[in-house]
Amino acid sequence: MTKLNEVVLITGMTGAGRGTAAKVLEKLGYYVIDNLPPILLDRTLDTVEAASDIDLLAVVVDARSRSFFGELDDALVRLRQRGLPTRVLYLEASDEVLVRRQEAARRPHPLSLEGRLMDGFVKERELLRRVRARADLVLDTTSLNVHLLGQRLRAAFGEPGSTGLRASVMSFGFKYGIPIDADMVADMRFLPNPYWDPELRPMSGLDDPVREFVRGQPRAVEFLDRYEELISLLTDGFLHEDKHFLTLAIGCTGGRHRSVAMSEAFAERLRAHGVSTLVVHRDLGRE
């Protein structure tokens, strides 16, 4: 009998990228099962553990299970009682984007086969509300294409069985909204804005002149020192609570200058502590 090293439950909204997530994890070596009714999870685990060549399992569980989906809470409890390392990945996106994706795919919503698409999404959000609250990693795919979603997933699951903290540092612009999948949000609008310098305005926080301008501010250095100290304080607590994925959002007005430079700077500090870190610039290029 094989002891599973990790079980990942993939769930979330229809059109948010569950299929893409399943394909990415399959390429990372996971044995993937799609659309499994939660009531069959225990029996499936018994079967998989009896195999000799499967040590990583990913299961897609979602609203397509319809009335069976209500069994998921109990199934999760039993799963963790088995002592298996378990992670819940929840994928979501804005209603507007979900509707557009579903219309492009020309598929009805599984909870609204004869009604409006939006009615199905409303029912689905309510159905998934409790499992979202229990998710280990929530990814908002509203502004992610397939390649960026794959990048985020590989950063989170590329080291199966890892006991360390893995982080995503996301720069963003407040004018475009706060990332809904952020665990912590920091506001860089207290720093002087390079936008008001005609020479720096066309550049971004990835360019040396802007990077040096932002990071050269005394308050920027003080922020990085204190934020690094705060994250160091929280890391042991997160791991003790079995939270291995952390999304840190760092914002400025437009997500082009200050937030980009400071996200890159903070990611360097996290990596120096041995934290596997991915940097995502959500709104860079939108202006």
Side-chain angles (χ1 to χ4, degrees), residues 21-147:
K23 291 176 182 177
V24 170
L25 291 186
E26 188 170 40
K27 290 179 180 178
L28 290 175
Y30 287 80
Y31 183 82
V32 178
I33 301 174
D34 186 26
N35 194 18
L36 183 73
I39 198 170
L40 299 179
L41 187 57
D42 288 305
R43 188 182 306 173
T44 300
L45 287 172
D46 291 337
T47 302
V48 171
E49 287 193 305
S52 60
D53 58 349
I54 298 174
D55 59 355
L56 299 170
L57 176 66
V59 180
V60 183
V61 180
D62 53 62
R64 289 173 294 172
S65 298
R66 313 237 180 132
S67 59
F68 293 113
F69 190 81
E71 302 286 335
L72 184 58
D73 280 342
D74 291 339
L76 270 174
V77 171
R78 293 194 300 272
L79 183 60
R80 284 172 170 149
Q81 286 175 343
R82 296 172 74 127
L84 294 174
T86 305
R87 306 284 178 263
V88 178
L89 167 64
Y90 185 95
L91 299 163
E92 66 179 4
S94 69
D95 289 339
E96 179 184 355
V97 167
L98 292 175
V99 169
R100 186 166 65 245
R101 290 174 182 171
Q102 201 69 1
E103 287 178 340
R106 298 183 179 180
R107 288 195 296 265
H109 192 283
L111 299 183
S112 182
L113 297 179
E114 297 179 357
R116 296 170 56 243
L117 270 177
M118 198 61 235
D119 294 336
F121 286 120
V122 170
K123 294 177 184 177
E124 188 174 31
R125 283 200 188 280
E126 179 59 26
L127 181 66
L128 297 175
R129 178 172 51 84
R130 291 178 62 183
V131 70
R132 185 194 187 282
R134 300 176 63 172
D136 297 281
L137 177 61
V138 177
L139 285 182
D140 176 15
T141 69
T142 299
S143 57
L144 299 180
N145 58 31
V146 172
H147 303 293

